[in-house]
Amino acid sequence: KGFAEASAKPAKSQPKPVMPDMKKKGFSGLKVFAGLIDEEYQESLENLDARITEYTKMRADADVSALETALLQPLLAATYEVQPHEDAADDKLAQEQADTINGMLEGLAVPWSVFCYNSYRALFNGFSLAEKVWQDRAGLLSWERLNPCKPDSVYRWHFDETGAGMLEAIQQAGYVPRGWTSTYRITEPIPLSKFVHFAYRSEYGNPEGRGMSRDIYRHWYFKDKCYTAAGIRIERLACPTPLAKPEADTNGNYPQLE
């Protein structure tokens, strides 16, 4: 009887799940003005063009160059190969697809090793950029080249209009080599899907990242200034200021100075 009475009691209704707010309300806080990232406090590095110029100067330093070589050479010496998945349903088809992709990489107009080297520069510059140039090879759509772009060729970063902070397009400005000369050009915004974009240590959606050169900059700067000061000091010691002592006459005057 007790079991029957307990079974007859209506079950408590379960609370309805609370649905999360589906609308975006927050933001990353990344400071972007007219397509330029404004997150750098160091005045000499506050714009991308000046920053890449300073980083290029740093590469002439023996210590910075040695660090770059030590990091990049093992990566460049590696062998890159696409292999079929071991659990592929059709082993023959998977192998054919892998061979096709490997053939694409080997047949690039710009060698794969060049693309890798410029991509790894993101470790130092903060980001790297390469344009995907497509071609139709007997009905097969493939890359003709992955064309590296200089970091300071970025003129404006274009983000989406929703406030989500998603990068949508890149505008470039720089010199385009044609024949024996080059012409200055500013492009229209190019969709991000046209590029291979790598950002190292990117924070809050910053497409410029933060390369190791930024961390080294302060130490290199003072070292470089010390080299300059030492050079001036050595020059002055090697070529001291000439001194002359005139002879006085019998009256103690110096007619040579009159």
Side-chain angles (χ1 to χ4, degrees):
K1 181 180 178 181
F3 177 77
E5 290 177 353
S7 300
K9 291 181 181 179
K12 293 182 179 180
S13 59
Q14 296 293 329
K16 294 183 178 180
V18 179
M19 295 298 294
D21 190 345
M22 307 299 286
K23 295 182 180 180
K24 182 189 176 302
K25 295 184 177 180
F27 50 88
S28 67
L30 183 69
K31 290 186 287 186
V32 184
F33 299 99
L36 303 176
I37 309 296
D38 185 21
E39 291 287 335
E40 177 57 63
Y41 64 86
Q42 181 69 40
E43 185 176 353
S44 58
L45 304 175
E46 62 183 357
N47 67 74
L48 180 60
D49 200 32
R51 195 181 315 143
I52 298 301
T53 299
E54 290 297 296
Y55 291 172
T56 302
K57 293 178 183 178
M58 292 172 61
R59 297 180 65 186
D61 183 89
D63 293 331
V64 177
S65 179
L67 174 63
E68 177 182 323
T69 302
L71 287 176
L72 296 188
Q73 286 304 318
L75 297 174
L76 295 173
T79 301
Y80 296 87
E81 182 183 11
V82 178
Q83 297 181 349
H85 195 277
E86 57 183 9
D87 297 330
D90 189 337
D91 293 340
K92 184 177 180 181
L93 177 60
Q95 185 62 54
E96 290 178 356
Q97 293 173 341
D99 293 341
T100 300
I101 297 175
N102 286 324
M104 291 180 185
L105 298 181
E106 293 175 1
L108 290 173
V110 175
W112 175 254
S113 58
V114 175
F115 166 73
C116 289
Y117 174 77
N118 286 276
S119 298
Y120 294 146
R121 291 295 314 160
L123 296 172
F124 297 90
N125 295 332
F127 76 97
S128 65
L129 205 63
E131 182 186 2
K132 292 182 282 189
V133 181
W134 297 90
Q135 65 178 348
D136 186 352
R137 297 195 310 181
L140 178 64
L141 189 62
S142 64
W143 292 326
E144 177 188 352
R145 65 182 66 199
L146 296 170
N147 202 45
C149 305
K150 292 182 65 178
D152 53 359
S153 70
V154 174
Y155 181 62
R156 294 286 188 272
W157 302 100
H158 290 258
F159 293 84
D160 68 315
E161 297 292 340
T162 65
M166 300 299 294
L167 185 64
E168 284 192 342
I170 298 172
Q171 194 172 5
Q172 288 186 282
Y175 290 93
V176 181
R178 298 183 185 278
W180 56 274
T181 185
S182 60
T183 56
Y184 190 82
R185 177 190 173 197
I186 299 178
T187 68
E188 295 294 324
I190 304 171
L192 183 62
S193 59
K194 194 74 169 65
F195 292 99
V196 180
H197 171 240
F198 295 108
Y200 179 61
R201 295 193 299 182
S202 174
E203 297 178 354
Y204 313 111
N206 188 346
E208 296 179 359
R210 182 184 174 94
M212 285 186 286
S213 294
R214 179 62 186 87
D215 303 333
I216 303 170
Y217 177 75
R218 179 180 176 85
H219 309 278
W220 168 83
Y221 178 84
F222 284 108
K223 175 184 175 183
D224 185 63
K225 297 305 177 186
C226 287
Y227 270 130
T228 303
I232 295 173
R233 182 173 182 271
I234 292 172
E235 181 183 24
R236 289 178 177 177
L237 289 175
C239 302
T241 304
L243 300 176
K245 184 177 179 181
E247 295 183 0
D249 58 13
T250 57
N251 298 323
N253 298 320
Y254 295 91
Q256 297 93 334
L257 301 180
E258 297 179 357

